[in-house]
Amino acid sequence: MNAELRDLYQEIIIDHNNNPRNFRAMADASIQVEADNPLCGDSYRLYLKLAQGRIVDISFQGSGCAISKASLSMLGERLRGASRVQALALFEAVHALLTGETQGDSSALLGELEALAGVRHYPMRVKCASLGWHALKQGLAASAREIGDRV
Ligand code: ZN
């Protein structure tokens, strides 16, 4: 990774950490998921509002390190309006990015999320970056059990 790209990635993470998108509680959420990473002290709650198989609203609250917060901020920005299938596809792409198992070129799908790639050499930070995404997957699975085919 060249220095220019690294600086850009760092800027994206700092921006999302300082100005997290969708950082609020949601009173009428369909699903709420706790996302905790005690090793780092990251502790969030992810809110999902689902209708007709889509994420119509998404938000989060809590506190933690810059990586975890930036990751959740980008997650929400990318997934508002997404279908369950699109959300799970993005989860898989991010998971592959963070574990270094990327197959083919998923840059187009990942976009800004590629800024998280730098953590893959630091197992502790991989947990921070993936925290919100595991909560998302858990939330979608829980909603499927609860609401069945309508979501
Ligand atoms: Zn963290």
Side-chain angles (χ1 to χ4, degrees):
M1 191 186 297
N2 65 38
E4 202 177 317
L5 192 58
R6 200 164 50 227
D7 287 351
L8 171 70
Y9 282 177
Q10 210 143 35
E11 251 171 61
I12 290 172
I13 286 173
I14 290 166
D15 176 49
H16 277 277
N17 179 50
N18 291 342
N19 308 291
R21 324 301 196 255
N22 309 303
F23 192 68
R24 57 184 160 81
M26 194 192 301
D28 59 346
S30 320
I31 296 281
Q32 298 185 25
V33 190
E34 302 294 335
D36 293 307
N37 175 18
L39 289 175
C40 177
D42 308 319
S43 180
Y44 299 94
R45 182 179 288 237
L46 179 69
Y47 301 86
L48 297 169
K49 188 174 179 184
L50 299 146
Q52 272 107 45
R54 292 200 167 267
I55 299 171
V56 292
D57 199 6
I58 185 165
S59 69
F60 74 106
Q61 271 204 319
S63 63
C65 68
I67 299 282
S68 62
K69 190 178 276 182
S71 185
L72 271 152
S73 174
M74 286 192 268
L75 178 155
E77 200 170 50
R78 284 295 301 278
L79 291 181
R80 171 170 292 112
S83 68
R84 164 189 295 281
V85 173
Q86 287 168 331
L88 290 174
L90 196 58
F91 169 88
E92 294 299 338
V94 169
H95 189 261
L97 176 80
L98 295 177
T99 54
E101 288 163 4
T102 311
Q103 288 164 352
D105 186 11
S106 52
S107 296
L109 180 62
L110 287 166
E112 206 176 47
L113 288 162
E114 283 202 306
L116 298 170
V119 306
R120 74 166 66 129
H121 303 295
Y122 309 94
M124 290 279 295
R125 305 330 296 268
V126 169
K127 285 207 173 68
C128 300
S130 63
L131 183 64
W133 295 88
H134 285 291
L136 166 79
K137 198 178 184 190
Q138 203 185 318
L140 290 175
S143 76
R145 280 196 301 273
E146 243 173 60
I147 314 171
D149 288 335
R150 283 186 289 129
V151 172

